Amino acid sequence: MSFIYLIPFYTKWHYTEGFKDLSRNWKSLIFFVLHFFSLGILFRTWFAPFGRLNEEYRRGLDLEAFLETLVANTLMRMVGFVLKTIVIIVGLLILLLTTIFGPVALILWAFAPFVILFLFTAGVANLLL
């Protein structure tokens, strides 16, 4: 019977501190996704060569060496652009899902005690029948 005395305390926690904790966790998750995928850095270095791999141009008028270096640097920039684009797209999709999940979780959190109460009463009614 002492369980009934806990219901007001649980209800108060659930609708005050619980909501605060859930919203704080949601903000932390958004912060984590932004930093895990390094979206800011990827946008700033979108056209930089992959892994900073680039050839230095040789001095002199050697056309073959110049074109060889130009092709290698262009290829590394294209590889970097493609890989960074893939990571940016995946990161933005995960960020979108995280942003959508937050309000859904808050709504589910608001109705969770009622769902638990309904399931408990349905289970007891099922046992009695």
Side-chain angles (χ1 to χ4, degrees):
M1 201 61 168
S2 63
F3 173 73
I4 294 188
Y5 294 119
L6 292 177
I7 292 175
F9 296 111
Y10 171 76
T11 305
K12 181 182 176 196
W13 171 84
H14 186 87
Y15 288 107
T16 56
E17 292 298 319
F19 269 114
K20 288 178 190 175
D21 288 344
L22 187 61
S23 64
R24 229 178 292 134
N25 290 342
W26 178 40
K27 289 175 188 175
S28 293
L29 191 58
I30 289 174
F31 181 80
F32 168 76
V33 169
L34 285 171
H35 286 82
F36 182 77
F37 288 100
S38 303
L39 292 176
I41 294 172
L42 287 177
F43 278 121
R44 284 193 303 271
T45 62
W46 205 346
F47 296 102
F50 175 69
R52 296 186 203 157
L53 295 175
N54 59 347
E55 297 285 325
E56 295 294 326
Y57 288 97
R58 296 182 194 142
R59 297 193 185 267
L61 294 174
D62 188 5
L63 184 61
E64 182 180 347
F66 174 77
L67 291 176
E68 178 182 307
T69 305
L70 180 67
V71 168
N73 286 343
T74 304
L75 186 64
M76 284 297 116
R77 285 188 187 272
M78 289 184 342
V79 167
F81 176 77
V82 169
L83 290 177
K84 289 174 187 178
T85 301
I86 291 169
V87 173
I88 286 172
I89 289 171
V90 169
L92 288 176
L93 286 174
I94 302 272
L95 184 64
L96 178 69
L97 289 174
T98 304
T99 305
I100 291 170
F101 176 71
V104 171
L106 287 172
I107 291 169
L108 291 175
W109 184 260
F111 291 111
F114 301 111
V115 171
I116 292 170
L117 183 63
F118 170 75
L119 291 174
F120 179 74
T121 55
V124 169
N126 193 20
L127 281 175
L128 296 176
L129 291 178

